[in-house]
């Protein structure tokens, strides 16, 4: 029997999101905060992974790339956020386009949070034996952010799994 998580693909190809109301509210609040950050600032260091460097060794080429592509990338992220906020507000079947927007929004949140926590994917471990190491002198806020980072990763994993299940 296949385990069911918070997101499942339905027989008709659509999806169902099974999240508690408080989780939906939290995600909505976080995604709206991300929207606010994206629309009110251009130099927040925590947003840098959302607008990655295209040319590491050529600042002139990268500046030109950013000039040409940043607005398009920003528009795409804001559009995904709008779809996700609407999707989270309803308890209905989700289309492939909506689940894609949801996964992109969750991934964006995770990238920003990972940047804030200074987490690189290559050095982040998911094994249980190291789960509690290094937490003794961390602040409660830092621990909450790490738990949220884990939650978003878990949610993203289920989302991608559901998207892949029909392939």
């Amino acid at each position: 029997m296949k385990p069911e998580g918070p997101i499942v693909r339905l027989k008709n190809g659509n999806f169902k999101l099974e999240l508690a109301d408080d989780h939906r509210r939290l995600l909505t609040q976080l995604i709206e905060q991300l929207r606010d950050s994206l629309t009110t600032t251009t130099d927040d260091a925590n947003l840098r992974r959302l607008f990655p460097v295209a040319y590491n060794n050529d600042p002139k080429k990268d500046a030109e790339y950013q000039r040409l592509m940043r607005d398009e990338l920003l528009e795409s992220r804001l559009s995904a956020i709008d779809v996700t906020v609407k999707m989270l507000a309803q308890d209905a079947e989700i289309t492939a386009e909506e689940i894609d927007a949801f996964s992109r929004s969750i991934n964006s949140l995770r990238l920003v949070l990972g940047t804030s926590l200074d987490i690189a994917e290559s050095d982040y471990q998911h094994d249980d034996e190291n789960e509690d190491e290094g937490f003794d002198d961390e602040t409660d806020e830092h621990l909450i952010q790490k738990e949220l980072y884990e939650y978003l990763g878990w949610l993203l994993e289920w989302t991608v799994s559901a998207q892949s299940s029909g392939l």
Side-chain angles (χ1 to χ4, degrees):
M1 180 175 188
K2 183 179 169 191
E4 290 195 11
I7 300 166
V8 294
R9 182 185 286 268
L10 303 173
K11 289 181 182 182
N12 66 5
N14 286 338
F15 300 86
K16 183 70 176 168
L17 178 64
E18 296 287 343
L19 287 178
D21 289 344
D22 59 332
H23 288 228
R24 286 175 183 265
R25 284 190 300 272
L26 174 64
L27 288 172
T28 300
Q29 180 183 11
L30 292 170
I31 290 168
E32 287 177 341
Q33 288 174 359
L34 176 60
R35 178 196 298 135
D36 290 346
S37 292
L38 287 169
T39 58
T40 60
T41 185
T42 58
D43 60 353
D44 183 344
N46 290 330
L47 299 176
R48 72 178 182 271
R49 288 185 184 168
L50 299 182
F51 303 99
V53 173
Y55 298 95
N56 285 324
N57 298 326
D58 192 334
K60 281 186 178 181
K61 279 187 179 179
D62 190 63
E64 181 65 8
Y65 172 82
Q66 296 296 331
R67 186 185 68 76
L68 294 171
M69 298 305 298
R70 186 177 179 95
D71 287 345
E72 186 176 320
L73 191 52
L74 176 62
E75 184 178 319
S76 172
R77 293 196 189 285
L78 292 173
S79 176
I81 285 170
D82 290 342
V83 169
T84 300
V85 168
K86 288 177 190 170
M87 186 200 84
L88 286 169
Q90 60 189 3
D91 189 22
E93 287 187 13
I94 301 165
T95 65
E97 293 79 19
E98 290 170 323
I99 200 70
D100 181 59
F102 178 76
S103 66
R104 289 186 294 131
S105 295
I106 296 301
N107 189 55
S108 293
L109 278 175
R110 195 166 179 268
L111 286 170
V112 170
L113 190 55
T115 303
S116 173
L117 293 168
D118 199 25
I119 294 174
E121 288 296 325
S122 60
D123 62 27
Y124 195 77
Q125 298 181 9
H126 292 281
D127 57 12
D128 293 332
E129 64 190 53
N130 293 325
E131 193 171 309
D132 295 327
E133 287 184 16
F135 288 152
D136 293 338
D137 54 353
E138 295 185 48
T139 65
D140 288 343
E141 177 72 22
H142 197 75
L143 286 174
I144 291 169
Q145 288 179 343
K146 279 190 171 186
E147 286 183 24
L148 182 56
Y149 181 83
E150 285 281 333
Y151 174 75
L152 293 171
W154 172 82
L155 190 56
L156 186 59
E157 185 176 333
W158 274 104
T159 304
V160 170
S161 177
Q163 288 175 297
S164 302
S165 67
L167 301 178

